[in-house]
Amino acid sequence: MHTTSPETPNRMDRRKNRTKTLLMHAASELVLEKGYEDVMIDEITERADIGRRTFYNHFVSKEECVLAAVKNRFAAHARELEQSLGLPSPEDAAAGDSDHALFIAKLASHMFRLIALDPITEQLIDYPRILSEAIADSQRDHLLAHLANGVVSGRLKPSLLPESLEPIVAWGFVGLVVTSIRRKSQEADSLTWGSFLLQNLGIAEPEAKALLDGIQA
């Protein structure tokens, strides 16, 4: 008799996941087309071809649905970026002779560029709380493991405790992204962001610049 392991979604879970994905996809499309303010829940459900009552089985509000959609979109950016950069997994990096500062430099600068140039980010620049939460949640796993490895190895020496550094980094990221979009300086500001983050992790400004220059070369 076939049984479903705890790690394998059963048919009902798969159906729920498909429905949630359809709603998030519809929300993303509509935000890109109309902007956040003008999107209504009825439009999301109509675009997804899902009943309004079903919407509330997954989300309590339009904001929660859009937030989930943006988190999912940004997390996909991070996964694709790690693959394209050919970075080792945090486990492999911890076991080898790796430069964790270089990994952070690559992830930070390239991820800033991807998010700042994403058209959905521009539609949400007047909603920094949504952006901040989506960025923090979608990037946390990708950066924190490399950061932890760097601290253990002694390569990285954060200037603040993690509970203080994380909100400063999240809001600093959003603030610079919004400014970059408004002045159309996303490419240059991706390096500014990388330098800022590295210096807050104990890398002196000249070395931070050298690391980032090496990435650009």
Side-chain angles (χ1 to χ4, degrees):
M1 179 178 177
H2 177 74
T3 59
T4 301
S5 70
E7 293 79 17
T8 305
N10 59 32
R11 183 177 298 174
M12 183 174 294
D13 289 336
R14 292 196 299 270
R15 186 181 300 119
K16 287 179 179 178
N17 289 337
R18 283 195 298 270
T19 301
K20 189 172 184 178
T21 297
L22 286 170
L23 289 167
M24 291 191 297
H25 183 68
S28 292
E29 288 185 339
L30 287 164
V31 169
L32 285 168
E33 292 170 14
K34 306 177 61 174
Y36 176 80
E37 191 66 30
D38 291 334
V39 175
M40 301 291 113
I41 289 176
D42 286 343
E43 293 176 302
I44 296 173
T45 56
E46 182 178 351
R47 177 70 62 93
D49 195 23
I50 290 167
R52 184 181 176 93
R53 288 176 61 185
T54 302
F55 176 92
Y56 289 105
N57 290 334
H58 298 276
F59 303 107
V60 300
S61 65
K62 175 185 81 171
E63 179 179 321
E64 185 178 71
C65 181
V66 171
L67 176 58
V70 179
K71 285 180 184 179
N72 190 62
R73 187 180 179 101
F74 289 171
H77 285 333
R79 290 191 298 271
E80 291 165 6
L81 177 61
E82 287 187 325
Q83 291 176 358
S84 68
L85 292 175
L87 295 181
S89 70
E91 293 78 13
D92 290 340
D97 184 18
S98 301
D99 185 351
H100 304 289
L102 180 60
F103 296 159
I104 294 289
K106 287 182 176 181
L107 284 171
S109 59
H110 286 288
M111 199 66 220
F112 182 95
R113 187 180 299 110
L114 284 172
I115 290 178
L117 291 171
D118 190 322
I120 206 165
T121 305
E122 185 168 2
Q123 292 286 13
L124 292 169
I125 60 174
D126 291 327
Y127 304 92
R129 194 188 65 77
I130 293 177
L131 281 178
S132 177
E133 190 170 339
I135 289 166
D137 282 6
S138 63
Q139 307 311 307
R140 187 175 289 117
D141 291 343
H142 298 272
L143 280 174
L144 283 188
H146 288 296
L147 172 57
N149 286 340
V151 171
V152 169
S153 70
R155 176 71 166 113
L156 302 176
K157 299 179 176 65
S159 57
L160 297 169
L161 294 174
E163 57 267 29
S164 299
L165 182 61
E166 186 173 331
I168 290 172
V169 167
W171 283 104
F173 189 106
V174 172
L176 187 57
V177 162
V178 169
T179 300
S180 294
I181 290 172
R182 287 178 172 155
R183 66 189 183 192
K184 302 188 184 305
S185 58
Q186 293 96 321
E187 294 286 345
D189 287 335
S190 68
L191 298 178
T192 300
W193 175 251
S195 180
F196 169 81
L197 185 56
L198 287 170
Q199 289 180 67
N200 275 279
L201 296 176
I203 305 298
E205 192 276 335
E207 185 181 3
K209 183 178 185 303
L211 286 169
L212 293 164
D213 286 348
I215 292 170
Q216 295 298 107

